[in-house]
Amino acid sequence: GESVGLHLPTLSVQEGDNSIINCAYSNSASDYFIWYKQESGKGPQFIIDIRSNMDKRQGQRVTVLLNKTVKHLSLQIAATQPGDSAVYFCADVATVNAGNMLTFGGGTRLMVKP
Amino acid sequence: DSGVTQTPKHLITATGQRVTLRCSPRSGDLSVYWYQQSLDQGLQFLIQYYNGEERAKGNILERFSAQQFPDLHSELNLSSLELGDSALYFCASSPGGEKLFFGSGTQLSVL
């Protein structure tokens, strides 16, 4: 079946460095992708999204890149801070019977060292 | 605070029992989604409702059922509970598009 997966389960970075979290997807019909951040004990929180007609989108300290050719998605966090420590999920959105079904990847844990 | 409210926050029960998890979506959101999060399986989509009607179904067991009421709140019913049902259950809401807002979850422990 279709799936969304992550390359790295854990990423450890030094405070102030840039972080890159990767995600691969397999559903060629996917046209919308979202990155979520989940802190311990909390629900996933929306970070940034991108549609398939774009290859880059920037937010505050975060950038999402989409490479449709290789079905790859990445989240870049600039000047990583201790507060960025969390699990990051990518999600693929598919339309199923007029409903939107998000399929999440397994998640990457980002650990920021002070 | 996402605006999505889930109760209870924690639930401890025994195998074979039945529980009900409750979710109040953000004001104005018509869509409600339920997800299960286990340590080894990440976030698994269970079911989606839109304005009271079931819209999409994921990997939801037959022992599980859900509904969305006229006031748009939703309940997830889990019956004949097994040890493997222990997980975090998240509700999310959306105004109808793709962006979901998640609640803080219900931690279910089946002993």
Side-chain angles (χ1 to χ4, degrees):
Chain A
E2 308 289 7
S3 65
V4 177
L6 297 176
H7 296 306
L8 300 172
T10 304
L11 177 64
S12 184
V13 299
Q14 203 69 38
E15 181 178 357
D17 288 351
N18 296 333
S19 302
I20 299 177
I21 300 172
N22 297 301
C23 176
Y25 67 96
S26 58
N27 187 352
S28 57
S30 300
D31 61 0
Y32 182 59
F33 304 88
I34 309 174
W35 280 101
Y36 281 88
K37 171 186 179 183
Q38 186 177 21
E39 297 175 276
S40 181
K42 298 183 179 179
Q45 178 186 7
F46 172 90
I47 302 174
I48 193 168
D49 57 0
I50 189 168
R51 295 200 177 275
S52 59
N53 61 351
M54 304 171 67
D55 53 20
K56 181 179 180 179
R57 189 162 189 222
Q58 286 185 294
Q60 187 177 13
R61 284 200 306 116
V62 294
T63 301
V64 55
L65 298 177
L66 175 63
N67 185 330
K68 294 181 288 292
T69 302
V70 295
K71 297 190 181 69
H72 185 267
L73 194 68
S74 68
L75 176 70
Q76 300 179 358
I77 304 174
T80 312
Q81 303 169 0
D84 295 327
S85 294
V87 176
Y88 290 81
F89 294 94
C90 64
D92 155 271
V93 181
T95 300
V96 178
N97 295 328
N100 292 317
M101 185 171 75
L102 269 72
T103 302
F104 286 85
T108 292
R109 181 174 299 280
L110 176 64
M111 300 174 62
V112 182
K113 296 177 288 186
Chain B
D1 182 12
S2 68
V4 178
T5 303
Q6 287 187 249
T7 57
K9 290 191 181 300
H10 302 278
L11 197 51
I12 301 174
T13 188
T15 55
Q17 295 298 306
R18 181 180 187 276
V19 296
T20 297
L21 312 183
R22 196 178 191 277
C23 170
S24 294
R26 294 188 327 151
S27 177
D29 284 358
L30 299 179
S31 281
V32 169
Y33 301 73
W34 286 98
Y35 282 82
Q36 179 191 57
Q37 186 175 39
S38 303
L39 283 175
D40 59 347
Q41 292 193 11
L43 283 157
Q44 298 291 321
F45 170 71
L46 296 178
I47 198 164
Q48 178 207 355
Y49 281 83
Y50 179 83
N51 202 21
E53 295 186 359
E54 182 183 305
R55 186 61 65 92
K57 218 169 188 177
N59 299 318
I60 187 166
L61 299 172
E62 287 190 8
R63 300 183 286 109
F64 296 0
S65 64
Q67 55 185 328
Q68 186 179 28
F69 295 87
D71 66 353
L72 301 179
H73 91 270
S74 178
E75 292 182 354
L76 179 66
N77 300 297
L78 313 177
S79 61
S80 302
L81 285 168
E82 302 175 358
L83 295 176
D85 296 328
S86 295
L88 260 171
Y89 290 84
F90 285 106
C91 169
S93 76
S94 166
E98 302 102 336
K99 190 182 297 184
L100 268 56
F101 297 87
F102 283 82
S104 297
T106 294
Q107 177 68 61
L108 174 66
S109 298
V110 183
L111 305 179

